[in-house]
Amino acid sequence: MKLQDIVKLNQSFEFDYLSQDRELAQQVQIRLVDLKLLSGVADGAYGPITRQATVKFAQAFDLPELLNAVFAEKLIEAKEVPNTIVLIPTSLPICGVELIKRFEGCFLNAYPDPLTKREPITIGWGSTKKRDGSPWRLGESISQQEADELLILQLERNYLPDLAKIPCWGELNPNQQGALLSFGYNLGSKFYGAPGFDSMTKVLKNRDWDKIRETFIKYRNPGTNVEKGLLARRQAEAELFLTPII
């Protein structure tokens, strides 16, 4: 389905319907990226980030939060959006950022490191540095918008450069890159070729995608109290990696 079909047939859906229609979700994402409400690659993966941008568009034009003919026509025709905060442009795969947000917690008030009870002070989706590189201090807080932008900035600066060094990175589609972005954010961006990551390194080096699911699942810290959560994350990353781009 396309936005034009919604207008022509005068249909109406909840925004979350986009999770069922990848073609429509991708068209919506393309327009939201054009309007600077969304950043990254329009890959048709619908999640919290895309939903947030869709809601912002509706609110900017005083529209109900429904994917109906009025919304679709306005999204097709809009040249700019009033009173919007421009997101940081990024080449990150949206689906990977969505997956990270699904499994990471977001805290808008600065908090101490759980292990040291001191530094590094962390905020948002795990940011330990401000935009200018200075550390956060206890008592400081940020908005959800700032937390989202800090995550993108952190991924661009500290994770994407290392992931881009993986020999096959440029051959991967956005879903595959997104899965590895989540994996790297969780376990470290320099995992390729590092001790303890022989299985993942070998699979990526040989492009042996038949073994990618079982390989993701190996990295779940078996026998620990975090195994259940890590298993769910690894399964989600494997599923995303193996989801073709339509």
Side-chain angles (χ1 to χ4, degrees), residues 31-36 57 61 73-82 84:
R31 291 298 296 129
L32 293 173
V33 170
D34 290 342
L35 295 167
K36 296 181 171 52
F57 179 86
F61 289 99
E73 190 168 24
K74 179 63 72 173
L75 186 57
I76 292 169
E77 297 175 351
K79 303 298 182 184
E80 60 181 17
V81 180
T84 58

Side-chain angles (χ1 to χ4, degrees), residues 21-157:
D21 191 325
R22 201 176 190 90
E23 180 186 26
L24 180 59
Q26 186 174 37
Q27 186 186 14
V28 169
Q29 288 175 336
I30 289 171
R31 291 298 296 129
L32 293 173
V33 170
D34 290 342
L35 295 167
K36 296 181 171 52
L37 284 172
L38 191 65
S39 56
V41 179
D43 53 15
Y46 177 80
I49 299 176
T50 300
R51 190 182 198 289
Q52 182 183 47
T54 309
V55 169
K56 284 183 179 179
F57 179 86
Q59 292 173 342
F61 289 99
D62 294 321
L63 300 174
E65 294 181 14
L66 285 173
L67 191 57
N68 57 19
V70 176
F71 178 95
E73 190 168 24
K74 179 63 72 173
L75 186 57
I76 292 169
E77 297 175 351
K79 303 298 182 184
E80 60 181 17
V81 180
N83 303 320
T84 58
I85 300 174
V86 177
L87 296 179
I88 304 170
T90 178
S91 58
L92 295 168
I94 295 173
C95 57
V97 183
E98 299 274 15
L99 197 55
I100 289 170
K101 285 189 168 188
R102 177 177 161 188
F103 288 99
E104 299 284 344
C106 183
F107 300 91
L108 302 182
N109 297 313
Y111 60 93
D113 181 83
L115 293 178
T116 67
K117 308 300 182 184
R118 299 187 298 276
E119 292 78 14
I121 306 301
T122 305
I123 204 166
W125 298 100
S127 300
T128 57
K129 301 288 185 181
K130 299 179 181 178
R131 290 178 181 272
D132 62 6
S134 61
W136 289 99
R137 298 181 182 279
L138 292 178
E140 293 183 309
S141 62
I142 57 176
S143 67
Q144 186 63 58
Q145 175 78 25
E146 291 172 314
D148 292 344
E149 292 186 355
L150 273 173
L151 173 62
I152 290 175
L153 191 64
Q154 178 175 288
L155 290 171
E156 283 274 20
R157 286 180 176 176

